[in-house]
Amino acid sequence: MRPAPVLALCAALAGTALLTGCGKETAAGAAPAATCASLAPVPDPAGRTWDDVRVVSGKCGPSGAPSTGFEVTNHDDEPLTYTITFTLVNGFGEAMDSVTRTVEAVKPGQTVRRPLDTAGGPGSARGYRARVTKVRSVPAKGASGGADSCPSSGVRITNDRGDAAMGLRVVGIHLVNCSGADYRLDGYPALRLLDADREPVTGVDILHGTAAISTGIGGDPTPRPVTLRPGESAYANLAWRNTTTDGTPVNAPYVEVTARPGDEPVTVTPELDLGTTGRLGVSPWTRTPDDRQPRPDQRPGASQE
């Protein structure tokens, strides 16, 4: 197994980790607006650990004010982009909110510290404990990129949250041409399923088409060439059933998506809970309907006047 990432929350009060806001997250690689000074371990309450995650106390707010932040240390041998989900709970232990933070391109051996804001912003009177509830890390070179950035490949690939009903799961893989040139697709994306340690998942058949999973998804379009102009997008659906019978359920939180032969794979996190069915259906690339395409003023190079 690959070494787990080390993430740490720096709390204002030992054992309480009250969130009172501490400035905005900075761009990847830039120094954060506030630091977490005087770090010290605190007791390890349930729900605030993730593998090697440890809770520390410090001053993370503006001008060293007590507040809460988080820290990521990359123990892998390549740059990683982290997505961390925190659950905010009140003094009674009730979950009040969930926030997600992304830290891009953390170098091997590097520790990156970020403040963690509440919805009320810096100085908010709202106070919640922060718990780390999910950590996902993908190779930085294969990360999908943020909504305001465009990877060197010229396309941005993401997954949606999907739909679930009666054990049937459907998740969309979305590709946006964020370059300044046309981008051509043809057929099906190539997929590689990865477990929580980003190791290959075996024993799952990847089917071209979703009809074998369910006929109620709407049918598969016929594979055909799709040419995307700058700013246009396409999608492919992943479909499976999470039925569990005999055997060990298979979970694949990560999927490497290769949009077309010769492209570099991009790692997304659709969180596949495949049960024991051993099958995953994928539909061909299909142009996104015009009513869901980005507006002209959202396309690369469009006038912002």
Side-chain angles (χ1 to χ4, degrees):
M1 294 178 58
R2 102 179 354 95
V6 176
L7 298 146
L9 291 174
C10 42
L13 298 175
T16 59
L18 292 181
L19 274 172
T20 54
C22 54
K24 298 298 183 183
E25 182 176 327
T26 61
T35 60
C36 301
S38 304
L39 301 179
V42 300
D44 185 18
R48 291 178 53 211
T49 63
W50 187 281
D51 293 331
D52 292 335
V53 175
R54 65 185 180 95
V55 179
V56 293
S57 64
K59 298 180 179 180
C60 308
S63 302
S67 192
T68 301
F70 66 98
E71 186 176 83
V72 181
T73 299
N74 181 3
H75 283 177
D76 211 306
D77 56 2
E78 64 179 324
L80 298 176
T81 289
Y82 292 83
T83 300
I84 309 137
T85 302
F86 301 90
T87 295
L88 310 182
V89 301
N90 62 19
F92 298 100
E94 301 168 325
M96 303 300 292
D97 202 356
S98 178
V99 296
T100 300
R101 295 290 183 265
T102 298
V103 184
E104 298 183 356
V106 182
K107 299 176 182 178
Q110 182 184 20
T111 296
V112 176
R113 192 172 297 148
R114 296 284 187 265
L116 181 62
D117 293 343
T118 63
S124 169
R126 297 170 57 188
Y128 299 117
R129 294 186 182 96
R131 293 176 178 171
V132 180
T133 50
K134 185 166 65 175
V135 179
R136 295 293 182 239
S137 58
V138 302
K141 66 179 181 181
S144 59
D148 298 326
S149 64
C150 187
S152 59
S153 64
V155 296
R156 185 167 55 247
I157 300 175
T158 58
N159 64 271
D160 59 33
R161 299 181 65 179
D163 294 313
M166 300 295 290
L168 176 64
R169 305 282 196 264
V170 180
V171 167
I173 303 297
H174 302 271
L175 181 150
V176 177
N177 179 8
C178 53
S179 73
D182 288 352
Y183 183 85
R184 183 181 173 87
L185 293 165
D186 192 359
Y188 300 85
L191 308 178
R192 190 166 79 120
L193 311 187
L194 306 176
D195 64 16
D197 296 311
R198 299 200 313 277
E199 297 294 339
V201 171
T202 59
V204 177
D205 292 330
I206 299 177
L207 312 176
H208 279 181
T210 62
I213 305 298
S214 174
T215 57
I217 299 174
D220 293 315
T222 301
R224 62 186 61 190
V226 176
T227 299
L228 303 177
R229 294 178 298 172
E232 292 184 336
S233 64
Y235 71 93
N237 286 328
L238 307 184
W240 72 97
R241 292 190 180 277
N242 73 331
T243 306
T244 299
T245 53
D246 294 334
T248 302
V250 174
N251 293 304
Y254 301 99
V255 175
E256 278 187 357
V257 179
T258 303
R260 62 185 185 182
D263 281 11
E264 289 291 328
V266 173
T267 305
V268 296
T269 53
E271 306 287 342
L272 305 182
D273 56 341
L274 298 167
T276 55
T277 60
R279 298 196 304 173
L280 173 70
V282 55
S283 69
W285 287 117
T286 303
R287 181 186 302 278
T288 304
D290 289 343
D291 59 353
R292 293 168 55 195
Q293 291 283 358
R295 300 191 310 271
D297 61 351
Q298 295 175 321
R299 293 176 178 168
S303 173
Q304 302 299 313
E305 296 180 352

